[in-house]
C-alpha cells in the first residue's frame, strides 16, 4: 500500500514539472521574439549600409572613373558592411544602475530580453 507521503511528493513533483514547463515555454517565446527583433535590425543595418556604399560608388563613378580596383574596393566595403551589420545588431544590455532609475511602466519591456 503506497504511503500518503509518496503521493504528496509525486503531486509536488508533477506541479513543479508543470511550472517548469510553463516557464521554459515563456522563455523560449521571449528568446524567439528577441531573435526576430535582432534579425529585423540586422537586415535594416545591412540594407542601409549597402545602399549608402552603392550610392557613394555611383556618385564617385560619375565624378571620375573608378576602374576595376574601385569596383573591388566597393565589393570589399559591401562585404565588411554586411559583416559589421551582423556583429552590431545585438541589443544593448541594460545596466543595473539604470534599472533603479527607470520608469516603472517601461521596466518590464527593458528587462524581458
Amino acid at each position: 500500500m503506497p504511503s500518503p507521503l509518496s503521493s504528496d511528493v509525486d503531486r509536488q513533483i508533477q506541479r513543479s514539472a508543470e511550472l517548469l514547463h510553463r516557464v521554459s515555454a515563456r522563455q523560449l517565446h521571449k528568446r524567439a521574439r528577441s531573435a526576430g527583433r535582432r534579425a529585423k535590425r540586422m537586415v535594416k543595418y545591412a540594407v542601409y549600409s549597402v545602399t549608402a556604399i552603392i550610392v557613394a560608388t555611383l556618385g564617385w563613378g560619375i565624378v571620375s572613373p573608378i576602374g576595376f580596383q574601385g569596383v573591388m574596393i566597393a565589393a570589399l566595403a559591401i562585404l565588411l558592411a554586411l559583416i559589421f551589420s551582423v556583429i552590431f545588431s545585438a541589443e544593448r544590455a541594460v545596466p543595473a544602475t539604470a534599472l533603479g532609475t527607470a520608469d516603472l511602466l517601461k521596466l518590464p519591456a527593458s528587462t524581458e530580453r
Side-chain angles (χ1 to χ4, degrees):
M1 177 169 172
S3 70
L5 181 62
S6 66
S7 64
D8 290 339
V9 170
D10 289 339
R11 281 193 298 257
Q12 183 61 36
I13 289 174
Q14 186 169 356
R15 281 188 292 196
S16 298
E18 290 170 359
L19 177 66
L20 183 62
H21 180 68
R22 284 196 312 260
V23 169
S24 64
R26 272 188 261 148
Q27 290 296 330
L28 185 62
H29 178 67
K30 286 179 187 178
R31 243 185 241 144
R33 195 172 60 213
S34 177
R37 284 193 305 256
R38 181 174 184 199
K40 287 179 187 177
R41 199 170 34 255
M42 184 174 46
V43 168
K44 180 178 76 169
Y45 290 168
V47 167
Y48 288 163
S49 60
V50 168
T51 302
I53 292 169
I54 289 173
V55 167
T57 303
L58 289 175
W60 188 263
I62 290 173
V63 173
S64 68
I66 58 172
F68 180 74
Q69 288 179 340
V71 171
M72 290 295 112
I73 290 171
L76 179 64
I78 288 173
L79 181 66
L80 289 175
L82 292 175
I83 291 171
F84 283 125
S85 69
V86 170
I87 292 172
F88 292 116
S89 66
E91 294 180 343
R92 293 188 187 104
V94 179
T97 57
L99 292 177
T101 61
D103 185 19
L104 289 178
L105 296 176
K106 295 179 183 176
L107 190 60
S110 65
T111 58
E112 283 186 343
R113 298 181 187 138

